[in-house]
Amino acid sequence: RGITGAVADELYVKMKAFANYGFPESHSVSFAYLVYASAWLKFHEPAAFCAALLNAQPMGFWSPHTLVRDARRHGVEVRSPDLNASMAQADLEVCAGSVGDVAVRLGVGSVRGISDDRADEIEAARKADGPYRSMEDLVRRVPALEVPQLEALAMAGAFGESLGLERREALWAAGAVAQSKPGRLAGVVTGVTAPQLPGMAPAEEAVADLWATGIAPDGHPTSFLREQLTELGVLTSADLKGVEPGTRVRVAGVVTHRQRPMTAQGTTFLNLEDETGLINVVVSKGCWARFRRVARESPAMTIRGRLESSEGVINVVADHLAPLSLPGSATHASRDFR
């Protein structure tokens, strides 16, 4: 625009100086707005907030399992996928026992091996022709489904609520009903009816849920070991709130994160999750070196250390780490060093 010489140089220097702090300032305003809006939604519409986060995966710091467990702790009922009740993605249902009288229903698309297109097809066929009457009816109306997908739906309990099939019954039937396709006579498939099979115990259902969907709405792995953990003096996340700072404590849980910021001078921060909440663990460089294999590889741990508390934030400064065996290896992958 015809600006040259010293005036142009001065303008450039001022713009460069502003860029050094203007971008972080504008960035912080955006983050502040997002945090405020998210906090408002989580407080006033916790079920919708949880469903929206699940439908936005993969994203963010927390796994779907942790998001669901947090929602449950705040009074939101979260229901497993169901063939006739679920949409393709997570949705909301009327539920008198849940906060705001609204529950979250996981979508069929949350099941292992069910792609977005296949989930949409399952939902569309149900809307067009009414509820599915049987597993065979599902295969005939959505012929692209194969045995591994049917087995994953069975493991997730998707045939239980609507069709009255226990998970093992549905697993038994999956291979047989997969043979029934359009163009073949309906109702002539053999081997669909299972013999008398025992139902899954709650711990087994939690393992199945974690395998099939990555989410165990009704059973955190540590809840099935709580009696043994209590005998060992292990406290829950909720228990830590009543412990005096400086006290040596023992905690246990599934590892959700391992983080080592460049500014932490070798300190690693772990997050453990038990059935009552999350536990922050600080692992010094020396402690990490002593228990390196456990620290890096164990999906669940028991940790001994000193409790610190400041402004409502509780940390456990670790001095001993040990692996924790969970029923059926009921864990989900931690998010490490991101």
Side-chain angles (χ1 to χ4, degrees):
R1 294 179 181 270
I3 301 172
T4 61
V7 175
D9 291 341
E10 184 179 357
L11 283 172
Y12 177 79
V13 169
K14 288 184 176 180
M15 290 174 67
K16 185 178 179 182
F18 174 79
N20 286 333
Y21 74 90
F23 175 74
E25 279 198 343
S26 63
H27 217 48
S28 67
V29 171
S30 299
F31 272 121
Y33 177 78
L34 286 172
V35 169
Y36 180 84
S38 298
W40 192 96
L41 285 168
K42 184 177 179 183
F43 182 81
H44 292 285
E45 300 289 346
F49 183 69
C50 178
L53 288 178
L54 293 175
N55 291 337
Q57 297 296 317
M59 61 157 284
F61 198 69
W62 303 104
S63 70
H65 175 76
T66 299
L67 294 172
V68 166
R69 295 303 305 177
D70 180 74
R72 291 297 299 267
R73 287 191 292 271
H74 287 84
V76 177
E77 181 167 335
V78 181
R79 296 170 171 174
S80 298
D82 180 82
L83 183 62
N84 284 327
S86 291
M87 299 300 182
Q89 293 189 315
D91 208 343
L92 304 179
E93 294 181 353
V94 175
C95 176
S98 185
V99 170
D101 294 333
V102 180
V104 176
R105 171 73 72 174
L106 299 181
V108 290
S110 66
V111 177
R112 177 190 291 242
I114 304 295
S115 65
D116 291 343
D117 289 344
R118 199 66 65 241
D120 290 337
E121 192 176 351
I122 293 171
E123 179 185 333
R126 190 183 70 225
K127 287 181 176 178
D129 300 318
Y132 296 102
R133 298 178 293 277
S134 65
M135 288 179 68
E136 183 180 357
D137 185 35
L138 168 66
V139 172
R140 297 183 70 83
R141 289 159 64 178
V142 188
L145 286 172
E146 298 178 350
V147 173
Q149 295 167 316
L150 292 170
E151 290 177 340
L153 286 166
M155 285 289 281
F159 303 114
E161 188 174 328
S162 294
L163 303 183
L165 293 175
E166 295 286 346
R167 300 188 199 211
R168 288 196 172 105
E169 288 181 290
L171 274 171
W172 177 280
V177 299
Q179 303 169 41
S180 182
K181 301 289 183 182
R184 297 184 181 181
L185 287 175
V188 298
V189 175
T190 59
V192 173
T193 303
Q196 190 73 29
L197 295 172
M200 288 187 177
E204 293 174 316
E205 289 189 351
V207 172
D209 284 334
L210 284 170
W211 179 87
T213 67
I215 300 168
D218 298 315
H220 193 278
T222 56
S223 64
F224 304 111
L225 298 176
R226 183 50 55 191
E227 185 176 343
Q228 299 96 302
L229 292 173
T230 300
E231 290 176 358
L232 295 173
V234 174
L235 302 180
T236 67
S237 171
D239 293 335
L240 296 180
K241 297 174 183 177
V243 176
E244 287 291 324
T247 304
R248 291 174 66 79
V249 296
R250 192 184 298 269
V251 295
V254 176
V255 180
T256 64
H257 297 87
R258 295 173 174 87
Q259 302 294 323
R260 186 181 296 150
M262 293 185 66
T263 55
Q265 298 180 332
T267 298
T268 304
F269 301 94
L270 302 181
N271 278 103
L272 297 186
E273 182 183 58
D274 65 15
E275 70 272 25
T276 69
L278 296 162
I279 302 167
N280 300 320
V281 180
V282 181
V283 184
S284 67
K285 189 174 182 179
C287 183
W288 182 274
R290 287 196 304 276
F291 303 99
R292 181 179 180 82
R293 185 168 183 178
V294 174
R296 282 194 67 91
E297 299 177 6
S298 293
M301 301 181 196
T302 57
I303 294 178
R304 186 187 67 203
R306 186 183 75 258
L307 184 136
E308 291 183 343
S309 179
S310 176
E311 298 181 349
V313 178
I314 297 174
N315 298 316
V316 175
V317 181
D319 58 46
H320 187 275
L321 283 65
L324 174 65
S325 296
L326 296 173
S329 300
T331 60
H332 54 86
S334 58
R335 300 189 174 194
D336 299 338
F337 307 112
R338 295 190 179 185

